């Protein structure tokens, strides 16, 4: 980058005022033009209520930890994500202080913070709403890894349906601050919690939160106008380099050509963005204002629901995902969380009962129909003539539906190109976690997936099972931490953090330093 361009660039940026997103966009395109690798990104996703063991476990092939997808994992295979996914089973929350809160409540906090919960909050409802005893891993990584940090909003959290049973904060939050505060505890006294960073329920609000940094106080087309007016900066730099080339000695012309090619590539990217034909970094259409998650607390009701609303959850969740994907593409954002619905949810599903396709059930309360016997969900699927077979099969349909929505979101990341020209998924790690082992609140054996991150060294197409079911769930986070910290000894580098250290070591074979 020659001196003339640097001078003009400073003037360009000064003219942008508070449009930090536009500055970040320009910086990213320059980095791409100079051949730098894409930055890391993190998208934490969650599904509620664990799984059905026999329908989740893939079949190991015995070759390089490969596997054949199970019925519950089949949506990921069909979406072309087999080799972008590592499947984990047998993780555990038993290392944590498991008496502080309910199954879903403490389980969600444990899953995302990996820290003991010091107690439960007073929330006007039930007394099992766990507080966080440490920051969530998205915030931990954000504070420790400079490459994840961006100017502007920094990160976003989103949820597609925020309804809960009894005022729970814990089940609808995947992100907790490094900062703490004192709040009233359930029962009496106070408790110190890491502050919940509550998710956005409205895709349009998420859109405005992210893209207002491109053109503050204006509609997104103002960003296009700003880029158009200042495109002459690049034109000027190319003209100057051309003039310099005619004056410079032959020995220096190759260096000038390199500078010119980098600026020319940047100019082409910028022009494509202006023309609306760029393969990446396109500002998406604003989501509809009326598209927002249902919120509030309602009583547990195990009777059949009146109306299906899972389709709305998919619509809202994917609108959130589209905003996050575009923000990743434009390099305005590198950290986000996305949740479909809490473990204590009231999402009503239709056509999930194969014995009565007209029946509609709420997932969060439906599992109580057979919650007294863990072996019912852990063992082999019941025979069709079993009076409770419909419970198992209906929950199977609900789990598979959630996996299908997640597979759709991740497949979109894989298909999307960032401003560096590569697949967005290759530089994005997507941990997909749940709050309990199965629909009966057990802390083990927990399932989980790690998707994406090839360019960061993550190794896909793997299946790892822990037969004793006692490997800490934090092993998942230490495995991912290797990629962000660029070290095989991430646990030592994070030794001063608050997560439970017992069993928190990286899982071998899932990460290798990228070449």
């Amino acid at each position: 980058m020659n001196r003339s361009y640097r001078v003009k660039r400073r003037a360009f940026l000064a003219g942008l005022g508070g449009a930090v997103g536009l500055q970040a966009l320009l910086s990213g395109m320059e980095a791409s033009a100079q051949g730098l690798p894409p930055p890391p990104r993190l998208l934490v996703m969650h599904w509620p209520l664990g799984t059905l063991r026999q329908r989740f476990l893939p079949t190991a092939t015995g070759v390089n930890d490969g596997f054949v997808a199970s019925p519950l994992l089949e949506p990921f295979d069909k979406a072309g994500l087999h080799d972008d996914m590592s499947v984990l089973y047998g993780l555990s929350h038993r290392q944590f202080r498991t008496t502080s809160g309910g199954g879903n409540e403490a389980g969600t906090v444990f899953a995302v913070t990996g820290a003991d919960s010091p107690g439960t909050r007073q929330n006007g409802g039930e007394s099992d709403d766990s507080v966080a005893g440490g920051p969530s891993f998205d915030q931990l990584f954000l504070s420790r890894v400079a490459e994840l940090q961006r100017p502007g909003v920094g990160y976003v959290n989103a949820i597609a349906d925020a309804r809960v049973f009894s005022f729970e904060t814990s089940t609808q939050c995947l992100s907790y601050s490094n900062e703490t505060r004192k709040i009233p505890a359930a029962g009496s006294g106070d408790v110190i919690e890491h502050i919940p960073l509550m998710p956005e329920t409205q895709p349009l609000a998420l859109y405005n939160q992210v893209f207002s940094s491109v053109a503050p106080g204006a509609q997104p087309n103002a960003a296009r106008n700003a880029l158009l007016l200042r495109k002459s900066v690049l034109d000027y730099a190319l003209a100057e380099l051309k003039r310099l080339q005619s004056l410079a000695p032959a020995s220096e012309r190759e260096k000038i050509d390199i500078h010119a090619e980098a600026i020319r590539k940047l100019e082409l990217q910028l022009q494509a963005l202006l023309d609306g034909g760029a393969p990446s970094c396109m500002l998406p259409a604003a989501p509809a204002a009326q598209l927002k998650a249902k919120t509030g607390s309602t009583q547990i009701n195990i009777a059949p629901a009146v109306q299906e609303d899972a389709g709305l959850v998919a619509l809202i969740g994917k609108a959130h995902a589209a905003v996050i994907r575009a923000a990743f593409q434009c390099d305005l954002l590198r950290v986000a969380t996305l949740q479909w619905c809490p473990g204590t949810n009231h999402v009503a599903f239709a056509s999930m009962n194969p014995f009565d396709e007209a029946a509609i059930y709420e997932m969060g309360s439906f599992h109580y129909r057979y919650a007294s016997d863990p072996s019912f969900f852990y063992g082999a699927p019941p025979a069709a003539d079993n009076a409770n077979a419909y419970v198992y099969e209906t929950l199977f349909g609900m789990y598979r539906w959630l996996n299908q929505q997640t597979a759709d979101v991740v497949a979109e990341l894989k298909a999307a190109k960032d401003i560096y020209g590569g697949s967005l998924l290759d530089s994005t790690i997507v941990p997909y976690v749940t709050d309990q082992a199965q629909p009966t609140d057990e802390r083990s054996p927990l399932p989980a997936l790690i998707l994406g991150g090839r360019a960061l060294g993550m190794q896909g197409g793997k299946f790892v099972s822990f037969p004793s079911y006692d490997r800490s769930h934090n092993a998942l986070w230490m495995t991912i931490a290797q990629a962000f910290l660029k070290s095989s000894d991430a646990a030592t580098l994070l030794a001063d953090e608050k997560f439970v250290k017992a069993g928190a070591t990286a899982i071998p074979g899932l990460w290798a330093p990228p070449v």
Side-chain angles (χ1 to χ4, degrees):
M1 193 182 297
N2 73 345
R3 184 176 181 277
S4 294
Y5 177 71
R6 289 197 299 269
V7 171
K8 289 292 183 178
R9 182 185 186 279
R10 284 197 294 270
F12 167 66
L13 294 178
L16 295 180
V20 294
L22 198 54
Q23 297 176 27
L25 172 58
L26 179 64
S27 297
M29 286 194 292
E30 288 175 337
S32 169
Q34 293 169 26
L36 297 178
R41 302 174 181 94
L42 173 69
L43 174 59
V44 179
M45 297 189 69
H46 165 274
W47 86 92
L49 291 168
T51 195
L52 303 171
R53 179 177 180 270
Q54 296 294 336
R55 295 281 175 84
F56 175 85
L57 282 175
T59 302
T61 63
V63 180
N64 297 323
D65 300 318
F67 64 92
V68 175
S70 63
L72 280 174
L73 297 176
E74 191 177 37
F76 296 98
D77 257 30
K78 288 187 173 180
L81 298 169
H82 184 99
D83 293 335
D84 298 292
M85 171 176 65
S86 287
V87 180
L88 309 179
Y89 190 77
L91 299 172
S92 175
H93 287 161
R94 291 174 181 166
Q95 294 81 1
F96 308 149
R97 184 176 151 191
T98 59
T99 56
S100 294
N104 304 115
E105 293 84 356
T108 306
V109 172
F110 293 156
V112 297
T113 69
D116 288 330
S117 173
T120 58
R121 66 175 52 81
Q122 185 183 109
N123 64 12
E126 297 175 346
S127 61
D128 61 353
D129 189 13
S130 301
V131 304
S136 52
F137 279 98
D138 66 307
Q139 295 300 310
L140 185 156
F141 292 146
L142 188 59
S143 65
R144 301 284 294 240
V145 181
E147 290 176 297
L148 289 173
Q149 299 163 6
R150 300 301 289 147
V153 296
Y155 65 91
V156 296
N157 304 313
I159 192 168
D161 190 299
R163 290 173 295 173
V164 291
F165 287 168
S166 184
F167 306 102
E168 298 97 340
T169 293
S170 54
T171 58
Q172 57 178 306
C173 185
L174 301 183
S175 189
Y176 291 88
S177 172
N178 286 282
E179 303 298 321
T180 62
R181 67 184 179 190
K182 182 186 294 185
I183 61 169
S188 62
D190 295 321
V191 63
I192 302 295
E193 70 167 359
H194 279 256
I195 299 171
L197 303 173
M198 299 303 292
E200 178 55 60
T201 61
Q202 186 175 3
L204 180 60
L206 192 75
Y207 174 89
N208 289 334
Q209 183 182 352
V210 173
F211 291 104
S212 63
S213 69
V214 175
Q219 295 302 312
N221 62 355
R224 184 185 188 282
N225 294 336
L227 289 169
L228 184 62
L229 290 172
R230 293 164 177 83
K231 181 174 173 289
S232 60
V233 174
L234 300 178
D235 294 331
Y236 178 87
L238 286 170
E240 286 292 288
L241 284 174
K242 187 175 181 179
R243 185 180 66 84
L244 185 61
Q245 193 172 39
S246 67
L247 300 174
S251 61
E252 296 298 311
R253 288 175 186 168
E254 183 178 355
K255 296 177 183 178
I256 296 171
D257 285 341
I258 292 172
H259 283 295
E261 181 58 32
I263 293 174
R264 190 174 294 109
K265 180 180 177 182
L266 175 57
E267 183 190 38
L268 290 172
Q269 287 180 319
L270 187 55
Q271 186 61 55
L273 181 64
L274 291 168
D275 293 341
S280 62
C281 191
M282 295 297 296
L283 300 189
Q290 67 270 25
L291 196 63
K292 59 183 72 175
K294 294 181 179 180
T295 61
S297 298
T298 54
Q299 296 299 312
I300 297 174
N301 178 19
I302 63 172
V306 175
Q307 181 176 327
E308 183 271 349
D309 54 11
L312 181 62
V313 172
L315 188 65
I316 295 169
K318 288 180 179 179
H320 281 312
V323 173
I324 292 169
R325 182 178 68 249
F328 280 179
Q329 283 184 288
C330 293
D331 203 21
L332 303 176
L333 197 70
R334 295 178 183 172
V335 175
T337 70
L338 177 60
Q339 189 176 8
W340 297 109
C341 55
T344 53
N345 71 77
H346 284 275
V347 178
F349 290 84
S351 304
M352 297 294 168
N353 181 348
F355 307 104
D356 181 4
E357 293 190 356
I360 301 173
Y361 303 103
E362 289 183 354
M363 183 184 194
S365 53
F366 181 76
H367 75 280
Y368 283 107
R369 286 175 174 266
Y370 211 86
S372 61
D373 181 7
S375 65
F376 177 78
F377 296 113
Y378 182 82
D385 59 357
N386 184 311
N388 290 304
Y390 79 101
V391 177
Y392 189 101
E393 298 300 338
T394 299
L395 281 167
F396 166 70
M398 293 172 176
Y399 286 130
R400 186 180 170 98
W401 183 94
L402 288 161
N403 284 352
Q404 183 63 66
Q405 310 318 307
T406 302
D408 291 345
V409 168
V410 177
E412 289 284 350
L413 289 176
K414 183 172 183 176
K417 301 293 183 183
D418 62 15
I419 57 177
Y420 293 78
S423 166
L424 201 57
L425 183 61
D426 284 350
S427 57
T428 304
I429 298 178
V430 186
Y432 186 39
V433 299
T434 188
D435 42 87
Q436 54 188 263
Q438 57 186 23
T440 46
D441 292 352
E442 282 78 25
R443 307 294 190 192
S444 176
L446 293 161
L449 303 180
I450 302 174
L451 298 117
R454 285 190 187 186
L456 308 178
M458 300 306 298
Q459 309 294 296
K462 305 282 188 176
F463 168 48
V464 180
S465 180
F466 302 99
S468 58
Y469 301 156
D470 62 356
R471 185 63 177 271
S472 171
H473 190 271
N474 285 345
L476 172 147
W477 293 110
M478 292 304 99
T479 301
I480 293 169
Q482 296 175 116
F484 291 132
L485 298 175
K486 302 176 183 179
S487 171
S488 59
D489 194 16
T492 297
L493 296 177
L494 298 175
D496 59 336
E497 296 290 348
K498 293 183 179 180
F499 62 85
V500 174
K501 307 302 188 302
T505 53
I507 301 167
L510 300 189
W511 178 81
V515 178

